Structure formats: structure tokens, C-alpha cells
Amino acid sequence: MVEALKIGLLGLGTVGTATAEILQSPERRNPVLNDITIAKVGVSNLEKPRQVQFPEGVLTTDLEGIVNDPNIDVIIELIGGLEPARSLILQAIAKGKHIVTANKAVISRYGEEIYHAAEQAGVYVFIEAAVGGGIPVIRPLQQALSVNRIQSILGIINGTTNFILTKMGAEGSDFAEVLTEAQELGYAEADPSADVDGYDAADKITILATLAFEEQVNLEDVSCEGIRQVSAVDIKYAKQLGFEIKLLAIAQRDETGLQVRVHPTLVPKDHPLASIDGVNNAILVEGDPLGQVMFYGPGAGGGATASAVVSDLMNIAAMVKTTASVNPLMKIPQHPAGQLVPIQELVTRFYARIICVDRPGVIGNLGTCFGKHNVSLESIVQIDFNHGIAEVVVVTHNVKEENFRKALAEIPQLEAIDQIQIPSVLRVLRENL
Amino acid sequence: MVEALKIGLLGLGTVGTATAEILQSPERRNPVLNDITIAKVGVSNLEKPRQVQFPEGVLTTDLEGIVNDPNIDVIIELIGGLEPARSLILQAIAKGKHIVTANKAVISRYGEEIYHAAEQAGVYVFIEAAVGGGIPVIRPLQQALSVNRIQSILGIINGTTNFILTKMGAEGSDFAEVLTEAQELGYAEADPSADVDGYDAADKITILATLAFEEQVNLEDVSCEGIRQVSAVDIKYAKQLGFEIKLLAIAQRDETGLQVRVHPTLVPKDHPLASIDGVNNAILVEGDPLGQVMFYGPGAGGGATASAVVSDLMNIAAMVKTTASVNPLMKIPQHPAGQLVPIQELVTRFYARIICVDRPGVIGNLGTCFGKHNVSLESIVQIDFNHGIAEVVVVTHNVKEENFRKALAEIPQLEAIDQIQIPSVLRVLRENL
């Protein structure tokens, strides 16, 4: 009989507790879990009441002690944040321990350093829980999908913003109102910036893009816009035009190179991502010769995320028993840092809502201005009219971002157009995706 | 440098050709593919023109020679059908070769025999391509999802029938008409029975259920109904009631045991499977603590299926290099054969379309008859009325199949109801799923 794999668990919040619960009740689960025991659990407060119980001496506040404990084989890092998480991971690797982490912030910023250290030490770093909660997506990207030439990854990978956008659309409510509601329900943090400004999604698409394309993507090169500027009226008009507005994280390779970005996007209603509602996540991967596959499920929550954490742990347990060296499909490939295509070079479609004084020739003047900058329009519609003020919605065909921005900048100078405002400019999923 | 893994490919149809194409162009794919070479390709006709070219001596009609060739490490079986596929697989295993197969018919019937032989020989049998084409679903079920207690698998796993049902719904056309169209487009075979009678879906759900639950499911115990009896008018009425009709393959465990079945099913429009259209497949897995995850993509086609075949092959290549013994997460677990819960014991909802002479009291009489057999109705609606004939649609709450069938059997004997016909009886996705 092989000796049980000994785990050091750092953090006992929602995910840590759910992880311990799975490991403490292995019946009707994979038998590989029988050979795993929790040796130490690092917490910040020993006195706090806990939903799970451990034998005397397992709980400790000495996290450094855990990562340096020679009896421990695997560290599960669930404390989140940048430090001390990064240092603890690196110390554990240096001591020859395998790592399982759900920490997207650390991996998106220090992934290269951590993978390199793991490579040197001959240990695994598993990160399935860092993206998409319980949805298996990291391992399929590393394994099954990697026989394809990946063309794009499109993800709804932040549940908070998807909940907010879904609710705004269903109720016609505005952003601020729904955010308050989401905070009350526990779907959004007191400081919502990481979610609503797109930073969480940017962390995750950086991780996915680095796995799927052969270059190390730098988080700071990822273009990132959140959903604060999306209004209920934009969602309404988008629906009338046949679109849903989603916060998409996009990594896409074409002849111009690799582009990675996060922004609210108008998605055609018949697109598989258009019907992903509420706190759910979905990741759509397109490759050659595979075509499009999509992974859908709960992108957060203790149980779902713990499912991913424990599946990583189980993989390590199975491999430690059977492998003589590190399985190349189970390690994160390291690539040189790449140069992303800047957002001005992006070719996509746009939606813009324009408000101005209504007078004959407004639509013609706008159309001429776009045409001058090579912006081909799909539609230009006067949607609303009040007290002499017109509201015009423009949807373009594929256009270079730079050209579209130049046309927009020129509109306020048009002679025939008065009191102009452009309250919303949103991207539309480009035509050939 | 490790010696290249040598492949014997049996069959060079659509999937075999696409498999060879991936292996012959490894650039921008996983580098593990660089160490794989195609040593032999078994075909039935050497003279046939081929889209892929091989060096002199690779193509052969001697399939037995390939599975017995001591230079070959892995056999990819893509000839389909039961024999000689089964015998060739068993011979190859006896010679210590690993197996990759897309053959759902062989695996659903002889999986136990084949897995047992592989266990004895210490080789892998990989079957990702047998279910869901290019969608990664077998490996997630074996690995990531297996830390959960799986409660149900619901799949749209036959593209032909999904195409037919989607088209019937969009155009209001009847089954026979759309089938002819599907045959002309190459989406349905000249003999369409395996698809339209549900046998292909039954093969696949047998494989998935055996992986997800700890019992060997016997194909002959799987209850199977196809889509021949689904009419355009049922699809129309279902839509009016808020449902889409899909051919679902269902494996579901509850307190009564495990039930595995294939039948057309009314799916509520807001259910993730309701919007899966055309030839696409989707598999929805529900487990504890994970919740629901769904895998979606092309369920057939040469390129998509070849993606799954090559990913299996790549996993074998990676493990052969690094493992000392068989990774327990990579082998198909063997379990004793289980007893499925018979269909009469099923608890589900029903839809029935009833035609009879219209007279006062018809709906009351029907309602009373259902009530007598403990069938609780959600709705009973007279949808249509022509020349003194009423068309009544009944939708039940959860009910035991046996009780519902008894009530149906009694309806023609009701005194107040004349000239009764019950042209359609369909199951509705049950309430707590």
C-alpha cells in the first residue's frame, strides 16, 4: 500500500472549507481520493468557529511552517491576493512540493516566475480552479484542445458582471442600482472594482491565452474596459437590434498577431454566449480542425471551485504514484513573452449611441463622416426623439478601431450637428467570429 | 532523444484522413505530437485516391498484420462496426499495444471485455472520440468531475436527430420530409435507423453512464425511443407551452437507483439544453458539490472527431515517456454490472396530445381519469377544434410512468369520450432536474 499523499491547506474560507469537506467524505467519489490526507491547515485565527473539524494540531497560524514541513507533499494555496501567497508558493516549490492554487491574481502576474521555479524543482503547479470555478477548462486547453491550432478564446469569465448585465436587461434597471442589489446578495464585493472594471476577467484571460497560444501574455498589455458605462438603454437598444451585451474576455489570433482584451461586447442573439445568464461562466474555444467547443457552468462558489481544486489534487496523487518524471501535458508550457497587437489595430464592429439636436440631414451628415474614415455602417437608426433632441444608434461592419475613433472625434465638429453627446461606444462581436 | 511512438491506423475514412492530416502537420500544435509517427495504415482498397499521402509501404490491406506488428506501439481503430473491430482491438491489446478508438458500438457492447483485457495487459484504452466528437467529455468525466458525486448526465449526443428536430421546429415540416433533406445533405445515413431510433445515443449514454456511476451499464437495459413519432404539431404545441423537443440521452441516479434512457423530451426553454440547435451536441453533467456544467460543440465530423483521437494519442505519448505504471485516472474503471431501474418506475412529467369528439365535459372527464390514477396535471388545454373534433394537450407534474400509462389506457373506455386517439405521448424533463 502506497503511503497517503499529505496536504498542507493554506486558507479555510469558502473554497478551503468545501475542499476539506470533499476530502473528508470520499465515498461515492473517485477512489484515488482515499489516499489523500490533510496534514496541516493554515488559518489566520484559531478561535474562529469552523464548519469542518480537524484532529488536534492540524490547524495552525504558522503558514511558513506548513510550506517548509518536510512531511507535506502538496500545498493547496487558497489565501488569495498577491502576498504572502506568491512567496509561500515559491518557498513550497523550492522545498519540492507540488502546488494547487485558485489564485488567478498571482498566476496572471507571477505565473512565469512560478512555472519556471516548478520546472527547476520538477514539481507540478495546477491551476484549474483559477479560471471558471468548477468548469474543467485549463486541463482541456492543455491537453485535448492543444492538438488544434487555437484561433480564439471568448469567455464570460466573471460571474458578478454577468449577473449585473443579465439583471439590468431583465429589469431595465441601471448599473448602480443593480450593483447595490448584487452586493446585498453577496455576488459583488464591497469594493466592486476588480469585477466591474474587468480586472478579474483580465487576470483570467491572461492565464488562458498564455496556455492556448505560444507566448507569455503580460497582464499589463491586456486592454481592459469594465461595465460601468453600460446603461439600461444600451441594453434595450442592443436587444432591439438583435444583440445581448456581455462582458467578454477575448484572446484572438489572426494574421496581424495575438490580441487579448476585456470589454463589454454586443453578441448576436444566436451566438452560443448570448444565452449565458446570471452568475454562470462560459468559455468558447475555436480551433482548427475542431471548430467551436464551449464549456459552461458555475464560475464561482465554494463547492464548484473546490471541485476543481480537488480534481487537481487527485491528478497529482495519481501521477505521483505512477510517474517517473513530470508529464509534459501536465505542466504549463513556458514561452517567450509576446508582443500583443495594440487595441488601435483591432478590427471589430462598433455600436455607438449619439444624441444631438434633431434637424434634417443629421443622419446624412453622420453617415458621410463615417464614410470619410472608411467606416462601413451596417445600420444607422434614429431610435428616439424628444423635445427636438434625436437619439441615433450606429452599428458598423468590421472596421479598424483607429479609423472608428477618428470618425467619432470628428463628429462634434460637424457643422450641421448641434449639442452632440456620444454617451456610449461599445464593441460588437466581429463578423467572422 | 526518445524514440518516436509508432502508430498503426486502422481505417482511412473521414476521421482517419483528418487524423493523419493533424499528425502530418504538427506546427503550431502541441510539441508532444512531434514524437509520433504513422507506421502503418490499414485500408480495404489500396487503389482508392486519398487526400493524404504516405511513404511507400505504409498503406496495407493486412489489418491483422498491423495489430501484430511488433514495431507498433498504439493502434487507432477507426474502421467502426462490431467485427472485425472488436477482434482487432483484442488482438492488439494481447500484443501489449495501447488503443485509441472512436467506436461507440464496440465500446458500449464489449467495453467490459476490452477494459478487462487492457487491465491484464497493462495498456491504455482511450475513447474520447466515441462520444461527442471533438468535445472533451470522457476525460473530464474520468478526472475533474469524478471528485463529485454525479447525479445526472443529460445529453444531446446525436447530431442527426438534433438537426432534424431543429429543422422541423423552424419550418413546421414533418419528420419524413426533413429526414430526406438530412440524407441529401449527408447528415443522415441511407439507413437512418441507428440515429432516428435512438440506438446511437443509447450506445453513447451507456458509455458515459458506465464512466460516471460505479456500475457497468448494459446496453440492452437502456430504454430507447427515437424521434419517428414526433410530429411538427407536437413541436409547435410544445413551443406554445414553453418547451423545445430534444432527443435526450439521460442517466440519472436518485434514491430509487440508476436509470438510463433515450427518448424525445420536452425541455423548458430556459434550460441550457433547449438552445442547442442543429448538428451540435451538448452534455450537461450535474454533481455534488459542483452543480451543473455543460460541454458543447460539434458532435461529429472528420476534423472534430480527429481532434479527440489525436488528443488521446498525445496523452498516451506523454505517459509512455514518463510513467512507470498505468495512471489510475487514465484507465476506465471496472465495476460490477448494475441493475437499472425499469422505465415503469420512472418518475417524470408527461405531455400527451389527445383527439376526440368535442362535447361538454371532455376536459372534466379526462381530468377525473388522470386524478384517479394519481396523475397530477399542470395543464390541460384544448388547443384546436375542427369539425366537432377537439385536440387537447395535457402536461403533468412529476408522476410515476406506470400510473400515467394506466390512466392513458383507461381513457378510451371513458363513456363521455368518443372516437378518441392519442397520437403523441412524450416525456417532459422532470421538475427537480
Side-chain angles (χ1 to χ4, degrees), chain A residues 125-406:
Chain A
V125 175
F126 277 9
I127 59 170
E128 185 63 74
V131 182
I135 308 170
V137 61
I138 299 285
R139 187 135 312 116
L141 267 182
Q142 281 180 277
Q143 300 191 353
L145 304 182
S146 72
V147 309
N148 291 274
R149 292 177 181 138
I150 304 295
Q151 290 144 348
S152 66
I153 301 175
L154 272 65
I156 293 173
I157 48 182
N158 180 272
T160 305
T161 47
N162 204 49
F163 172 84
I164 292 173
L165 290 173
T166 304
K167 195 113 183 153
M168 285 172 69
E171 296 173 358
S173 323
D174 259 312
F175 171 76
E177 192 182 323
V178 179
L179 173 62
T180 307
E181 204 178 327
Q183 285 169 323
E184 283 163 9
L185 286 166
Y187 289 154
E189 308 279 335
D191 175 359
S193 178
D195 293 318
V196 304
D197 293 320
Y199 303 134
D200 172 81
D203 281 350
K204 292 168 178 169
I205 193 69
T206 298
I207 295 172
L208 294 177
T210 295
L211 277 177
F213 302 99
E214 306 85 57
E215 47 189 276
Q216 173 70 37
V217 175
N218 289 319
L219 179 63
E220 56 266 40
D221 298 339
V222 175
S223 163
C224 182
E225 278 174 33
I227 63 165
R228 289 187 201 263
Q229 92 272 28
V230 178
S231 68
V233 69
D234 290 317
I235 296 178
K236 189 178 104 185
Y237 292 168
K239 276 185 203 281
Q240 288 173 10
L241 294 165
F243 299 98
E244 300 288 344
I245 299 185
K246 298 289 179 190
L247 182 67
L248 292 196
I250 301 177
Q252 182 179 297
R253 178 159 57 186
D254 59 21
E255 56 301 334
T256 66
L258 178 64
Q259 210 155 37
V260 185
R261 50 203 164 95
V262 173
H263 52 69
T265 312
L266 277 73
V267 179
K269 276 188 179 154
D270 60 355
H271 188 276
L273 290 173
S275 54
I276 307 302
D277 284 339
V279 293
N280 288 304
N281 283 16
I283 298 112
L284 183 77
V285 180
E286 183 160 13
D288 172 52
L290 175 56
Q292 291 185 332
V293 295
M294 189 174 79
F295 304 88
Y296 161 92
T305 310
S307 165
V309 166
V310 179
S311 80
D312 275 354
L313 182 60
M314 184 177 68
N315 265 290
I316 291 175
M319 284 189 299
V320 163
K321 278 189 187 176
T322 56
T323 56
S325 57
V326 170
N327 182 322
L329 288 181
M330 293 289 189
K331 66 179 186 189
I332 314 270
Q334 289 180 70
H335 301 293
Q339 192 71 47
L340 297 185
V341 178
I343 193 82
Q344 306 90 284
E345 300 289 316
L346 173 65
V347 174
T348 189
R349 299 169 72 196
F350 281 92
Y351 158 103
R353 183 159 56 91
I354 299 169
I355 295 172
C356 60
V357 172
D358 186 46
R359 71 167 63 133
V362 161
I363 288 197
N365 271 282
L366 287 172
T368 307
C369 177
F370 283 116
K372 198 178 126 193
H373 290 280
N374 272 324
V375 177
S376 165
L377 300 183
E378 182 190 271
S379 64
I380 177 162
V381 182
Q382 183 165 329
I383 297 237
D384 213 353
F385 172 82
N386 269 313
H387 310 295
I389 298 293
E391 192 160 26
V392 176
V393 167
V394 169
V395 177
T396 75
H397 287 298
N398 278 351
V399 53
K400 204 168 166 186
E401 171 126 2
E402 198 176 16
N403 293 353
F404 183 75
R405 299 284 173 190
K406 280 186 190 157

Side-chain angles (χ1 to χ4, degrees), chain A residues 22 25-30 32-33 134-136 139-140 142-150 214 253 272 275 284 288-298 303-304 306-307 310-311 314-315 318-319 321-330, chain B residues 22 25-30 32-33 134-136 139-140 142-150 214 253 272 275 284 288-298 303-304 306-307 310-311 314-315 318-319 321-330:
Chain A
I22 296 177
S25 62
E27 317 77 38
R28 280 183 47 205
R29 306 185 196 275
N30 198 303
V32 172
L33 295 177
I135 308 170
R139 187 135 312 116
Q142 281 180 277
Q143 300 191 353
L145 304 182
S146 72
V147 309
N148 291 274
R149 292 177 181 138
I150 304 295
E214 306 85 57
R253 178 159 57 186
S275 54
L284 183 77
D288 172 52
L290 175 56
Q292 291 185 332
V293 295
M294 189 174 79
F295 304 88
Y296 161 92
S307 165
V310 179
S311 80
M314 184 177 68
N315 265 290
M319 284 189 299
K321 278 189 187 176
T322 56
T323 56
S325 57
V326 170
N327 182 322
L329 288 181
M330 293 289 189
Chain B
I22 297 177
S25 62
E27 317 77 38
R28 281 183 47 203
R29 308 185 194 275
N30 199 303
V32 173
L33 295 177
I135 308 169
R139 186 134 315 113
Q142 280 180 279
Q143 299 191 353
L145 305 182
S146 71
V147 309
N148 291 274
R149 293 178 181 138
I150 304 295
E214 307 84 58
R253 177 160 58 186
S275 54
L284 182 77
D288 173 52
L290 175 57
Q292 292 186 331
V293 294
M294 189 173 80
F295 304 87
Y296 160 91
S307 165
V310 179
S311 81
M314 184 178 67
N315 265 291
M319 285 190 298
K321 276 190 188 176
T322 56
T323 56
S325 56
V326 170
N327 183 321
L329 288 182
M330 293 288 190

Side-chain angles (χ1 to χ4, degrees), chain B residues 43-57:
Chain B
V43 295
S44 53
N45 178 356
L46 290 178
E47 306 310 317
K48 198 170 157 185
R50 306 282 176 184
Q51 272 179 47
V52 279
Q53 305 308 319
F54 301 96
E56 188 71 28

